[in-house]
Amino acid sequence: DVGEVYSRLLDHRPVIQGEIRYFVKEFEEKRGLRELRVLENLKNTIFETNERVLPKCEQAMQDNLSETFKRLQAANTMIHRLQERGYEARKLQADKVMAREEKCIAHWEEFMKEQQNKRAEVDEEHRKALERLKEQYSQMEKELAKHVSF
């Protein structure tokens, strides 16, 4: 009797195990149905996406990509033309600078030749003046020598 009283009053394992089995069964049934509905909705969404949305997106992407490609080609052509114009303008400017530089160099060389000629003329005049002065002083010395001998 004591064992039966103990098991009825103090041993709650059978009751708890029954409650646990009931809870697990209820949870699995309710959750299973809910997850089944979620999976079915997901399957339908994936099917609709694959059959309808994806082809539309691909077609729109192809149309937009071809239009974008045409625009990029046009922009590339325009940029190429602009680069060529810039290159030609820089080349023309460089040619002008080179022509001015060559003109300046020629002018400088002419100036330097002219300066050398003038220097040669001045040196020649100086040499002649020096000779005249030497001659004048030598005559003055001769005259002075004549006057000193008296």
Side-chain angles (χ1 to χ4, degrees):
D1 278 332
V2 176
E4 192 174 315
V5 170
Y6 170 78
S7 70
R8 285 196 176 248
L9 291 179
L10 299 176
D11 190 13
H12 301 295
R13 280 184 285 172
V15 175
I16 291 173
Q17 285 176 352
E19 286 294 321
I20 289 173
R21 276 191 231 114
Y22 174 76
F23 177 77
V24 168
K25 181 180 173 186
E26 284 292 314
F27 182 76
E28 285 178 350
E29 284 178 6
K30 289 180 182 177
R31 184 173 175 174
L33 292 177
R34 186 178 64 207
E35 287 183 0
L36 185 62
R37 282 184 302 224
V38 168
L39 288 174
E40 187 68 31
N41 288 340
L42 195 62
K43 181 182 111 181
N44 291 336
T45 304
I46 290 172
F47 178 77
E48 183 178 334
T49 301
N50 283 339
E51 293 297 318
R52 294 187 186 119
V53 175
L54 190 60
K56 287 179 184 177
C57 288
E58 285 177 352
Q59 184 61 38
M61 185 176 68
Q62 286 297 328
D63 294 343
N64 288 335
L65 281 177
S66 65
E67 180 66 28
T68 303
F69 184 70
K70 289 176 186 175
R71 288 182 180 179
L72 282 174
Q73 282 180 330
N76 192 22
T77 304
M78 291 171 72
I79 287 173
H80 185 66
R81 279 191 228 136
L82 286 173
Q83 284 177 337
E84 284 179 359
R85 286 181 192 160
Y87 174 73
E88 289 172 2
R90 283 192 303 272
K91 186 172 180 355
L92 182 62
Q93 187 69 23
D95 290 345
K96 286 180 181 178
V97 167
M98 287 294 284
R100 280 191 218 127
E101 202 172 285
E102 288 172 1
K103 187 177 178 181
C104 285
I105 289 172
H107 187 273
W108 179 256
E109 288 175 356
E110 183 181 327
F111 174 76
M112 290 305 290
K113 285 179 184 178
E114 190 177 306
Q115 291 300 313
Q116 286 176 351
N117 291 338
K118 286 182 181 180
R119 189 184 79 195
E121 288 175 13
V122 168
D123 285 346
E124 184 63 28
E125 284 180 28
H126 182 269
R127 188 185 59 76
K128 286 179 183 178
L130 195 61
E131 284 179 19
R132 274 187 262 130
L133 283 174
K134 281 183 183 180
E135 193 175 307
Q136 184 182 0
Y137 281 121
S138 69
Q139 278 186 352
M140 288 171 78
E141 279 182 14
K142 287 179 187 178
E143 284 183 26
L144 188 61
K146 286 182 191 178
H147 289 292
V148 171
S149 51
F150 291 108

